Structures are given as structure tokens and as C-alpha cells.
Amino acid sequence: MARVTLSAQGAASPDTVWQRYADIHQWASWSPQIRAVHSVRRRLSPGMSGTVESVAGIRAPFVVEAVDHDRRTWTWRVRLARIQIRLHHEVKPQGRGSATSLTMHGPRLVLLAYAPLARLALHRLVQP
């Protein structure tokens, strides 16, 4: 298993960025690889599960492991066939805007292939 950490900074406030994470129906607005997220719940919460659907129509089941709304952090696990990736997200104040980071754990080649899309999504996430 490998670990890859990505980060981005932008002018959006930490509260705005966190809201974009916390409301799963907003994910497709800033993450170009996501078409939709399907879950019984709309707001991030520990134990929440569902599927994330890519723009290619591929659906991958997920489970949210932890959420700390006060610290603006959350962790989830996504599975596609035999491949599982664990993703940990953080949002912090940065100057007049915010910084977000993503630490991914999983098979090295999968993480390296996904990193460019994830980096683009993070940069879009922190824009006003």
C-alpha cells in the first residue's frame, strides 16, 4: 500500500469549502470526475454509505469512516472491484481563503493514476 498527499489553496472561505464537502450533492459541481453521489443521506456523517458515480458511468461503493465538522476533516473508503482506497480530507484557513489537503492510501499505481483528477478537483473546490 502507498500513500499520496495532495493539497490546494484558494480564495474560498473554509466554511464554503467545508459546505461543498459536507453536502454530497455538491460534489459534482467541483469534482469533474464525479457525475453524481447516491446515498440515503445528503450530509456527511460517520457510517454513511452509498455509491459515487463517475462521468464514465462507473459506480463505486463508499463508506464514510469519520467526520469532524468542527475541525473540518473527514475520511472515507471507496471500493471498485478488488481495489480499495482510503481518503482523508482536511480544510483549514489559509490567509483570506482556505487550504485543503487529501491523503490517499491504496495501491500505488491507482493513486498515481487518480492524482491528476484529484488535484484538479481540489483546486476547483477552493475557488470562490
Side-chain angles (χ1 to χ4, degrees):
M1 288 296 182
R3 181 177 120 179
V4 172
T5 299
L6 307 171
S7 61
Q9 298 176 17
S13 74
D15 287 339
T16 296
V17 174
W18 180 250
Q19 183 57 36
R20 291 174 182 167
Y21 271 140
D23 179 355
I24 66 168
H25 291 172
Q26 290 191 39
W27 292 3
S29 70
W30 54 267
S31 184
Q33 67 271 27
I34 295 177
R35 176 184 295 161
V37 182
H38 309 280
S39 178
V40 173
R41 301 181 204 157
R42 181 175 179 154
R43 189 148 176 85
L44 278 180
S45 60
M48 174 183 192
S49 63
T51 58
V52 62
E53 183 180 349
S54 76
V55 292
I58 299 167
R59 290 182 178 221
F62 71 85
V63 174
V64 176
E65 295 179 345
V67 178
D68 187 329
H69 291 282
D70 295 331
R71 290 193 168 133
R72 299 185 190 106
T73 64
W74 69 287
T75 303
W76 62 322
R77 204 175 314 161
V78 179
R79 178 180 295 278
L80 183 59
R82 294 182 180 167
I83 300 169
Q84 180 173 279
I85 301 174
R86 186 171 186 255
L87 305 104
H88 176 75
H89 301 268
E90 294 186 28
V91 178
K92 297 186 183 257
Q94 178 72 38
R96 292 184 169 190
S98 61
T100 188
S101 65
L102 164 62
T103 300
M104 304 182 290
H105 299 267
R108 178 175 299 286
L109 291 177
V110 173
L111 300 183
L112 294 176
Y114 183 64
L117 288 172
R119 187 174 287 114
L120 175 60
L122 291 178
H123 283 282
R124 290 174 52 146
L125 175 66
V126 295
Q127 297 309 308

